Amino acid sequence: QVQLVESGGGLVQAGGSLRLSCAVSQRILKLYGMGWFRQAPGKEREFVAAISESGERTYYGDSVKGRFHISRDNPKNTVALQMNSLRPEDAGVYYCAAQPTDYYYTDRYNYWGQGTQVTVSS
């Protein structure tokens, strides 16, 4: 069973930065595309970013393009999301997900982490 554990969430002022990390339990990260999603209270889970198995291809939601950067370190079994120029609307629970058949849709991922809370104060 693949387990994903997110970390790095917290409280940050608008304009600040946070770096989220997702640790994958098994040494097979290199086989998986990976994604980050977020969910604010009362809203649907939203695509944030994704990265291909090799890291050669990355994908971003329109609202985070130019501010967020996804990366992966396959030998260390981790995927990171660097978030810069944070806005209050970026707040929510951020989830790491693995093994997609389509990067952009929540129902196309087979594995999910429990999430990490990001709060952005204005």
Side-chain angles (χ1 to χ4, degrees):
Q1 181 70 18
V2 176
Q3 292 185 331
L4 309 177
V5 179
E6 302 94 337
S7 61
L11 172 64
V12 64
Q13 288 187 334
S17 299
L18 278 177
R19 184 176 179 86
L20 305 183
S21 183
C22 174
V24 183
S25 63
Q26 299 185 12
R27 294 179 182 269
I28 50 176
L29 176 63
K30 64 181 180 181
L31 301 178
Y32 294 162
M34 300 290 295
W36 285 96
F37 288 76
R38 68 188 181 191
Q39 189 167 20
K43 294 187 177 181
E44 293 187 353
R45 198 167 292 190
E46 173 190 19
F47 172 75
V48 175
I51 189 167
S52 63
E53 294 86 336
S54 65
E56 291 181 352
R57 290 171 287 129
T58 57
Y59 310 87
Y60 295 93
D62 289 340
S63 62
V64 306
K65 284 180 181 176
R67 300 187 297 121
F68 290 14
H69 178 70
I70 188 171
S71 61
R72 63 191 298 155
D73 187 335
N74 286 348
K76 294 184 178 179
N77 297 319
T78 59
V79 176
L81 183 68
Q82 178 66 42
M83 306 187 296
N84 300 322
S85 302
L86 282 162
R87 304 166 181 169
E89 55 264 38
D90 294 318
V93 179
Y94 280 69
Y95 298 91
C96 176
Q99 201 179 45
T101 54
D102 187 304
Y103 287 109
Y104 292 97
Y105 300 100
T106 58
D107 61 352
R108 304 297 179 90
Y109 285 77
N110 285 327
Y111 303 103
W112 289 85
Q114 293 300 306
T116 184
Q117 178 72 46
V118 172
T119 304
V120 184
S121 63
S122 57

